[in-house]
């Protein structure tokens, strides 16, 4: 799976979330923004911004 952070445009390290699921909150390891997983479609992960981060 692959996720590009909507804030900093870097790839989010999803290896920290081995059981990634819908409605799970994850954090971008580069900019610290908090994202809510809204949908997982194959290799695509869709998210919504929860908190702008650091």
């Amino acid at each position: 799976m692959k996720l590009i952070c909507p804030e900093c445009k870097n790839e989010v390290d999803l290896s920290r979330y081995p059981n990634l699921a819908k409605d799970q909150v994850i954090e971008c390891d580069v900019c610290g923004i908090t994202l809510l997983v809204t949908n997982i479609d194959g290799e695509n992960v869709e998210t919504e911004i929860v908190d702008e981060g650091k």
Side-chain angles (χ1 to χ4, degrees), residues 14-37:
L14 294 177
S15 67
R16 297 174 21 191
Y17 308 99
N19 299 316
L20 192 63
K22 187 177 178 202
D23 297 328
Q24 183 173 351
V25 175
I26 61 175
E27 182 178 329
C28 175
D29 49 311
V30 178
C31 71
I33 195 169
T34 306
L35 303 166
L36 173 68
V37 177

Side-chain angles (χ1 to χ4, degrees), residues 1-16:
M1 282 188 268
K2 187 173 182 178
L3 172 63
I4 303 298
C5 177
E7 184 72 19
C8 69
K9 307 302 183 216
N10 290 295
E11 189 170 341
V12 178
D13 181 12
L14 294 177
S15 67
R16 297 174 21 191

